[in-house]
Amino acid sequence: MTVDVYNFGDSGRYVTVAAEAMGAGWSVLPVAGTRVWVPVGGRVGVEFVVVAGRTVRRRTDRRLAFGGRLDCGGEVPGSVALVHLK
């Protein structure tokens, strides 16, 4: 899964992206580093792998939320998706 980080500001920024816990049986792992440089007016994708364990109930929506924090300490608005195992 790719989480796109946009920069609508007037200067480039470093952003660290993190996934919130989804619940029992699920794991969300970064493919590489989660700290990225986003240039002015730019977009950068951060890759994650979402894994459903054997105990996960099928066809049940789970909330997957990502958040970000700027190096200067500010927060980035979060992003949410619904995920379920078919």
Side-chain angles (χ1 to χ4, degrees), residues 10-80:
D10 57 2
S11 62
R13 302 284 182 148
Y14 278 102
V15 179
T16 301
V17 179
E20 293 180 5
M22 284 183 67
W26 289 94
S27 60
V28 184
L29 308 167
V31 172
T34 60
R35 182 176 180 255
V36 294
W37 173 257
V38 187
V40 175
R43 176 183 74 189
V44 175
V46 180
E47 296 286 330
F48 288 86
V49 174
V50 180
V51 179
R54 294 172 49 155
T55 61
V56 171
R57 291 181 55 198
R58 294 181 177 275
R59 294 182 173 88
T60 301
D61 289 342
R62 297 294 300 193
R63 182 178 183 269
L64 173 55
F66 292 92
R69 181 162 293 282
L70 300 171
D71 274 8
C72 65
E75 280 193 45
V76 176
S79 179
V80 177

